[in-house]
Amino acid sequence: MKKLFVALLVLSFTGSAYAEVISGGKRDIFNEGERCGYLTLVTSESSNEFKALNLSSVPVFTFFPAELSTVSGVITLVKQPRSSHIAIKAKDWGIPNADISGADCVANSGGDLEAALEVCFPTIQNGDFVFIKVLRESRELVLEKTTPSDARCSAEVAALEKVEIVADLSFNKIVDHADIGWKDHDKVGSKAANYAELLKAMGSDVVRPGFAIPFYYYNQFLDQNPKIKDAISAILTDKRLNTAEEALYRNEKLEELQAMIMSPEFPMDVKSLELILAKAETFRNTKGNLRNLKFRSSTNAEDLPNFSGAGLYTSKSYKPYNKKGKERSKEDKLVELEEAIKTVWASIWNRRAYDERQLYGIDHSEVYMGIQVNPSFNDELASGVVVTKNIADEKGDLAGVYIEAQRGDEHSVENPAEGVLPERRAVVPNKAGQPEIVRMGNSTVDVDTITILSQESDIPVLTDAHIMDIYNLSLKAETYFKPLLGKDNDLFALDIEFKVDKNDNDEYVVLFKQARPYIIK
């Protein structure tokens, strides 16, 4: 590998050399802080380097990763969405996170990001141990080659609040959202409980009613398959696996466990599967056709007021019709359903989930998977995230809301594809106290700066009417949830995932699919 970095380098984003790339605010500094670790260049082709990242790593990405296990700092040479899972992770973990895609040494590289690094950081080698410091106010990134004995490196990545989790394994009802609420988070998980409360707050015109599968059925599956329980015990007592630097070994063992869970050798309880199918069969559209359903994780270790767990687990669709549009037989539906359920269950053992729980001192043996089930979104005009504070205004009072959106369902705000950025909007009070839409940089109409998601590149992702709907609805949701989840927190905010999708009347409307506390530090 070529030389990459500087013995002591300060990239200042306040100078004129970078002014043209930071219009619209401090988009390049996503979280300030200082840490130490081994600098690791990660490209989209270097899968082993990516899998080997750990708490001793400071990765430099030439692409934007859709997921990330715990590290000590993040530098990207491509633009970052503020609402991405990676940006949220860095804030939660308290680690430095900088986007230097606008630096001259990157912008003038002609797309060769590895070559750009030689110009940006000419003397530090890939793999060197470095001190990294990111400063928001002065807009600086400091990198210094050092050694692990450096006193500045004595602080661990996280002096994080230990997260306590609870689980009621006796509740065995496949239950409609209308029949549960936040009080049931110990039975069905916070995501399903939050969704149920969101339905109560917003009504079925904004939140599509679904159902929840409680922890009981995951625990039943483990009890009926003792070989899997033994494999879990082996992982939890393997000292090598639980050493931070043994990331590749940990990855291998966790993937083996997930393969066991998915294997036909270890089936679900037939009666339980048939109960879930019976519930799924009750969800039909106005024409009487069965709905496609989305099965989403709802563990007791995510979407909590002090632990978001964003992006840790895996979702899976259930489709009662085949690709030709013919309704599947009962037997085929059961196969399709079991695959969806087990995919979500197996994701408890995703490497990124395991590592982050380890960081917060969560006992893996006490983590249980419930499942949040809701009708799928099949004709999306847009999807995105709204935070009920204007997090783009880092020096202000956060009044307003912040929105990021992508066109259709091909791309995700939380896990964006390389080179694809969301449309960014804020709705803030004007001098008269009335909400006003602020169009921010790097939207789909900024054709010179980002990849366009549609041939209709001059058409914004969201209409003004949809933006104002999102604004009003999200603040209504925040008002409802604050007494439940943020009573004594003046900075309480919600992170809400939304869709603009057709309802049964063939109208495009704003729909909410998830709400979790947004942790502002």
Side-chain angles (χ1 to χ4, degrees):
M1 173 54 66
K2 301 173 183 178
K3 291 182 179 179
L4 302 181
F5 294 93
V6 139
L8 174 59
L9 170 80
V10 178
L11 280 183
S12 173
F13 296 101
T14 57
S16 59
Y18 308 110
E20 72 275 14
V21 259
I22 57 168
S23 58
K26 298 179 180 179
R27 295 192 58 262
D28 45 8
I29 301 299
F30 283 81
N31 203 54
E32 65 179 6
E34 55 184 63
R35 290 290 185 266
C36 296
Y38 293 95
L39 204 70
T40 307
L41 175 68
V42 186
T43 70
S44 55
E45 290 79 33
S46 54
S47 59
N48 278 342
E49 285 87 346
F50 182 78
K51 290 179 180 179
L53 294 176
N54 58 73
L55 281 174
S56 299
S57 305
V58 177
V60 180
F61 290 104
T62 64
F63 68 105
F64 194 77
E67 60 187 57
L68 184 63
S69 291
T70 51
V71 293
S72 285
V74 176
I75 301 171
T76 64
L77 305 181
V78 292
K79 292 184 182 295
Q80 292 189 41
R82 190 173 294 276
S83 296
S84 71
H85 284 153
I86 304 306
I88 292 173
K89 293 297 176 203
K91 285 176 65 68
D92 288 351
W93 301 340
I95 63 172
N97 177 17
D99 163 356
I100 63 168
S101 59
D104 281 352
C105 53
V106 177
N108 298 331
S109 67
D112 187 346
L113 296 182
E114 292 187 52
L117 289 175
E118 288 192 44
V119 180
C120 292
F121 313 112
T123 65
I124 294 179
Q125 300 280 339
N126 185 34
D128 281 347
F129 193 83
V130 298
F131 169 77
I132 174 175
K133 186 175 185 178
V134 171
L135 303 172
R136 178 179 289 117
E137 188 168 348
S138 60
R139 303 167 82 82
E140 290 178 344
L141 163 64
V142 178
L143 279 178
E144 181 180 346
K145 185 175 178 179
T146 186
T147 66
S149 61
D150 188 326
R152 295 171 299 179
C153 304
S154 60
E156 295 182 0
V157 168
L160 299 175
E161 177 186 356
K162 185 175 181 180
V163 175
E164 302 293 340
I165 57 177
V166 295
D168 178 351
L169 303 179
S170 64
F171 185 77
N172 64 353
K173 295 180 181 178
I174 312 298
V175 60
D176 290 326
H177 288 124
D179 297 327
I180 57 173
W182 170 247
K183 61 180 174 56
D184 300 299
H185 67 93
D186 61 337
K187 305 176 183 68
V188 299
S190 293
K191 187 173 291 177
N194 286 351
Y195 192 94
E197 291 292 351
L198 197 60
L199 175 61
K200 290 179 183 178
M202 314 306 297
S204 59
D205 288 341
V206 178
V207 179
R208 290 177 172 170
F211 63 95
I213 303 171
F215 303 142
Y216 171 90
Y217 291 94
Y218 172 73
N219 190 55
Q220 178 193 62
F221 173 73
L222 296 184
D223 284 343
Q224 292 179 349
N225 294 284
K227 287 185 178 180
I228 293 178
K229 291 188 79 170
D230 290 345
I232 292 172
S233 296
I235 280 175
L236 299 183
T237 56
D238 187 336
K239 291 183 179 179
R240 179 185 173 194
L241 182 139
N242 288 292
T243 301
E245 289 75 18
E246 289 282 7
L248 289 174
Y249 177 72
R250 184 162 58 257
N251 204 76
E252 175 188 342
K253 292 301 180 183
L254 290 172
E255 286 182 352
E256 288 175 1
L257 173 57
Q258 290 180 304
M260 285 183 69
I261 292 172
M262 296 301 299
S263 172
E265 180 184 350
F266 305 106
M268 282 182 62
D269 179 78
V270 174
K271 289 184 179 179
S272 297
L273 194 56
E274 289 182 340
L275 280 174
I276 297 169
L277 178 61
K279 176 62 73 174
E281 296 277 287
T282 66
F283 287 84
R284 298 173 181 268
N285 62 20
T286 53
K287 297 178 182 179
N289 296 324
L290 291 164
R291 292 187 184 273
N292 292 340
L293 300 173
K294 192 74 167 184
F295 284 63
R296 308 185 73 207
S297 70
S298 185
T299 67
N300 57 338
E302 63 183 311
D303 293 2
L304 300 171
N306 59 343
F307 181 73
S308 75
L312 297 186
Y313 307 104
T314 305
S315 301
K316 181 71 173 177
S317 295
Y318 163 72
K319 298 179 180 180
Y321 298 96
N322 63 24
K323 292 181 180 180
K324 295 182 179 180
K326 183 178 179 181
E327 185 173 347
R328 300 180 192 273
S329 66
K330 180 182 177 180
E331 291 73 19
D332 287 346
K333 286 178 183 175
L334 289 172
V335 170
E336 180 88 357
L337 188 64
E338 183 171 15
E339 181 182 0
I341 293 168
K342 290 174 73 173
T343 297
V344 180
W345 283 349
S347 71
I348 278 189
W349 305 104
N350 283 346
R351 156 81 191 288
R352 60 187 182 272
Y354 189 94
D355 283 1
E356 185 163 337
R357 293 196 303 260
Q358 195 88 340
L359 190 64
Y360 283 82
I362 295 173
D363 185 345
H364 304 291
S365 67
E366 296 299 320
V367 178
Y368 293 93
M369 180 69 80
I371 300 181
Q372 148 70 18
V373 186
N374 54 265
S376 297
F377 300 90
N378 299 319
D379 196 2
E380 296 175 35
L381 184 68
S383 64
V385 172
V386 54
V387 178
T388 57
K389 293 286 185 287
N390 181 19
I391 57 174
D393 184 10
E394 295 165 342
K395 288 187 176 180
D397 60 7
L398 301 178
V401 306
Y402 176 79
I403 302 167
E404 291 189 349
Q406 297 276 36
R407 197 182 308 282
D409 64 349
E410 182 180 353
H411 298 286
S412 163
V413 167
E414 304 92 325
N415 297 315
E418 184 173 353
V420 178
L421 291 178
E423 175 177 272
R424 304 167 63 237
R425 300 286 185 259
V427 184
V428 300
N430 60 21
K431 292 181 179 179
Q434 300 300 313
E436 183 174 296
I437 299 171
V438 178
R439 284 161 174 76
M440 310 173 79
N442 297 305
S443 74
T444 51
V445 292
D446 296 328
V447 296
D448 58 332
T449 58
I450 73 160
T451 300
I452 299 303
L453 305 185
S454 168
Q455 294 300 316
E456 303 170 308
S457 59
D458 57 335
I459 300 176
V461 172
L462 296 173
T463 66
D464 285 1
H466 287 146
I467 291 171
M468 292 309 300
D469 280 347
I470 292 167
Y471 170 78
N472 290 314
L473 291 170
S474 64
L475 290 182
K476 179 181 177 181
E478 181 191 63
T479 299
Y480 181 91
F481 272 91
K482 192 173 191 303
L484 291 174
L485 304 179
K487 293 179 183 178
D488 302 317
N489 181 2
D490 292 337
L491 291 177
F492 176 78
L494 286 179
D495 169 345
I496 299 171
E497 294 183 17
F498 67 84
K499 302 283 188 181
V500 178
D501 194 63
K502 282 187 177 179
N503 60 18
D504 286 339
N505 295 322
D506 214 31
E507 303 165 322
Y508 278 112
V509 296
V510 173
L511 298 166
F512 286 173
K513 74 167 198 174
Q514 177 176 307
R516 64 160 64 95
Y518 183 88
I519 301 170
I520 297 176
K521 296 181 179 180

